[in-house]
Amino acid sequence: MQRAVALAEQGRGHVEPNPLVGAVIVRDGQLVGEGWHQRYGEAHAEVNALAAAGDAARGATLYVNLEPCCHQGKTPPCTDAIVKAGIARVVAAIKDPFPMVAGQGAAQLQAAGIAVDFGGGFGVESARRLNAPYLKLLAAGRPYVNAKWAMTVDGKIATRTGDSQWISNETSRARVHALRGRVDGILIGIGTALADNPLLTARPPGPRMATRVVLDGQARLPLESQLVRTAREVPTLVATTAAAPAASLAALRECGCEVLVVPATENGRPALLPLLAELGRRRWTNLLVEGGAAVLGSFFDAVLIDEAHVYLAPMLFGGSQAHTPIGGLGAAIVREALRFESWNLEPVKGDIYLRGWVAQERPTST
């Protein structure tokens, strides 16, 4: 199952909104075939593994990190291929909650006389984490939120004057570009757009071209900004409110930006949940939030962060007026803190990369 998960990971950025799936076929203790879902619309992992195994698949055990599909989509049902190949047993890490599968794949295999086992503990956690964005979209109808920032050892993302280039080193920044190339969208606030005039693209390009999303309640994004000037080459979405001037919205549209009007919060900012719901309707699975403290704080306060990518640089800024990564209201007491259920630390040429998976439930003071 660990091998199946490792194979599945190779499809990240290429197969979404489909799940990441890897398959391994074992007969008489020997690996006879393996495969993974390589690209959206192409053969699934099980079919690729069966092709690699050939006649050796008959009587073998198929290990797969997600329940095989049983419906006709862009490709035929995997269950049909498994039955035809003569597989004797299927071990799946987790069930697929997609409504057209949801246990029906296992039932079809069992009806054909194939033994089916789920989980059993081994590989289940890895399989769930691997496909957390896919599972989030199905369960909540909105994309998985990755929050990213670079900060100093004393927890600053910019000096008291707002200078922030560069906190992280070149290797860390290259890894951020790789992450950008695997997500559906990259989100910032209008404050970051005005202060940094970013391009928000993956350099070099990755398997996906992310849509740049700007939270801009008054449609203040300058027409001469890099985001607007490149909107016809790279998708750019301005999330705004009904308070924005109609002329500004028309000008942004004329330059190639998509304008999405969503309800406003009490402070006049675009509301996050309606925006995320719309992105979910578009079947986005991964959103990267690179905004400043205000934007990250709004996601924090709404308990919308699923995973954090933090680059810690060996330097100190000091200063009570220096910027910290997460603004907003924040936690009132320690037990309200956002906590990681699991996390990894990795050295990156002098920086430290922290990747944390947020606990699904956060305690409150009441």
Side-chain angles (χ1 to χ4, degrees):
M1 194 62 74
Q2 287 178 333
R3 177 60 179 164
V5 169
L7 288 167
E9 180 65 40
Q10 297 184 61
R12 191 175 297 280
H14 297 276
V15 306
E16 292 87 349
N18 282 356
L20 305 173
V21 183
V24 173
I25 299 175
V26 176
R27 180 176 175 180
D28 299 327
Q30 299 295 315
L31 189 152
V32 297
E34 62 181 27
W36 69 95
H37 186 24
Q38 299 182 14
R39 194 171 299 278
Y40 181 74
E42 296 183 1
H44 289 186
E46 300 93 324
V47 172
N48 288 330
L50 291 169
D55 292 340
R58 190 159 301 276
T61 297
L62 168 69
Y63 294 87
V64 61
N65 60 285
L66 189 69
E67 177 185 5
C69 71
C70 56
H71 64 288
Q72 176 70 48
K74 290 187 176 295
T75 60
C78 289
T79 49
D80 290 355
I82 293 169
V83 172
K84 183 178 180 180
I87 289 288
R89 178 178 177 233
V90 172
V91 180
I94 60 176
K95 292 183 178 181
D96 187 347
F98 185 68
M100 296 183 73
V101 184
Q104 298 174 70
Q108 287 191 15
L109 294 173
Q110 289 169 332
I114 298 173
V116 178
D117 295 308
F118 279 104
F122 189 75
V124 173
E125 182 180 351
S126 296
R128 289 192 181 281
R129 184 168 297 162
L130 173 78
N131 273 311
Y134 170 76
L135 298 173
K136 175 68 175 289
L137 180 60
L138 289 178
R142 56 179 186 263
Y144 187 82
V145 174
N146 297 270
K148 168 265 167 185
W149 66 90
M151 68 181 185
T152 62
V153 173
D154 56 340
K156 310 298 185 182
I157 61 170
T159 67
R160 59 183 172 82
T161 64
D163 185 37
S164 62
Q165 295 184 344
W166 295 101
I167 293 176
S168 58
N169 63 35
E170 186 174 346
T171 303
S172 294
R173 296 196 298 275
R175 294 181 64 152
V176 171
H177 279 282
L179 177 59
R180 285 179 173 181
R182 298 193 299 267
V183 300
D184 297 293
I186 305 167
L187 183 146
I188 62 171
I190 184 60
T192 297
L194 294 174
D196 297 344
N197 189 24
L199 189 57
L200 292 185
T201 57
R203 304 183 293 277
R208 307 186 80 76
M209 179 182 286
T211 297
R212 290 92 55 94
V213 182
V214 182
L215 298 179
D216 185 6
Q218 295 289 331
R220 294 187 291 144
L221 186 63
L223 301 185
E224 65 274 14
S225 67
Q226 291 197 94
L227 292 169
V228 176
R229 287 192 292 106
T230 59
R232 297 194 186 280
E233 290 78 46
V234 183
T236 304
L237 172 64
V238 178
T240 188
T241 69
S248 297
L249 301 184
L252 288 169
R253 290 190 179 103
E254 181 65 25
C255 290
C257 297
E258 179 185 0
V259 173
L260 179 64
V261 178
V262 298
T265 62
E266 291 182 358
N267 57 17
R269 295 174 178 169
L272 296 180
L273 279 175
L275 171 61
L276 293 178
E278 172 57 30
L279 301 182
R281 282 190 286 272
R282 300 180 184 197
R283 300 190 72 195
W284 285 22
T285 50
N286 281 283
L287 177 67
L288 177 60
V289 178
E290 290 197 27
V295 169
L296 287 168
S298 64
F299 275 85
F300 176 92
D301 289 340
V303 197
L304 292 173
I305 297 174
D306 296 299
E307 186 173 322
H309 303 264
V310 183
Y311 290 88
L312 184 66
M315 63 177 75
L316 303 169
F317 281 173
S320 59
Q321 300 302 310
H323 302 257
T324 56
I326 299 180
L329 183 62
I333 57 177
V334 172
R335 69 186 302 268
E336 292 180 356
L338 179 152
R339 298 180 184 273
F340 297 137
E341 63 181 11
S342 182
W343 53 281
N344 293 332
L345 287 176
E346 180 184 348
V348 184
K349 296 288 182 68
D351 290 349
I352 297 292
Y353 169 49
L354 183 150
R355 183 181 185 185
W357 292 269
V358 176
Q360 295 302 301
E361 294 184 5
R362 188 172 67 170
T364 63
S365 58
T366 58

